[in-house]
Amino acid sequence: QLQLVESGGGLVQPGGSLRLSCEASGGTLNEYAIGWFRQAPGKQRESVSCMTTDGKNTNYADSVKGRFTISRDNTKNTVFLQMNSVKPEDTAIYYCAATLKPRSPSRCYVDGFQFEYTYWGRGTQVTVSS
């Protein structure tokens, strides 16, 4: 049973940077497509970024494109989200997720369909404030 644990969240000033980590256990992460999601108070959870199983393709929400970068280190069984030039509207709980059965082997999606992700972490809080 795959387990995911996020870390790296905290308080950061606008324009600053954070790197979130998601460590996997109970499975080999390079067998999974992965994604990062976030949920702000009173709002639905939204997709932020994703990566295909082979790591060759990534996708980003328009709101974070050019500022955030998803990556993975398979030797550490860990996925990362590098957050640069953060804004107050980035404030949310951030979750990582994984699936063995992505909708496509060659593409991933940052839409509202999240049911394909069957493994989820508990989340880590990111607060962007001056």
Side-chain angles (χ1 to χ4, degrees):
Q1 180 71 26
L2 187 72
Q3 294 181 324
L4 304 171
V5 180
E6 302 95 337
S7 63
L11 177 64
V12 61
Q13 294 183 358
S17 297
L18 281 177
R19 189 177 76 160
L20 306 183
S21 299
C22 177
E23 185 175 0
S25 61
T28 302
L29 192 59
N30 64 8
E31 299 178 349
Y32 297 79
I34 56 175
W36 282 98
F37 300 80
R38 67 186 183 187
Q39 186 169 25
K43 296 184 178 180
Q44 291 186 326
R45 186 169 59 200
E46 63 175 342
S47 178
V48 174
S49 183
C50 61
M51 177 179 284
T52 53
T53 304
D54 61 10
K56 293 183 177 180
N57 293 96
T58 60
N59 208 348
Y60 298 90
D62 289 342
S63 58
V64 307
K65 189 175 183 180
R67 300 187 297 117
F68 292 6
T69 303
I70 188 172
S71 63
R72 70 165 97 206
D73 185 341
N74 289 329
T75 66
K76 298 180 179 179
N77 225 28
T78 301
V79 59
F80 303 96
L81 184 69
Q82 179 67 45
M83 305 169 59
N84 295 331
S85 302
V86 296
K87 304 175 181 179
E89 51 263 44
D90 295 323
T91 296
I93 300 175
Y94 283 73
Y95 302 88
C96 64
T99 179
L100 287 169
K101 299 179 179 179
R103 280 176 278 174
S104 171
S106 58
R107 291 185 60 192
C108 66
Y109 305 87
V110 290
D111 56 20
F113 184 78
Q114 304 173 9
F115 297 105
E116 66 184 315
Y117 292 94
T118 53
Y119 303 96
W120 292 81
R122 290 181 175 269
T124 185
Q125 177 71 49
V126 173
T127 302
V128 183
S129 177
S130 60

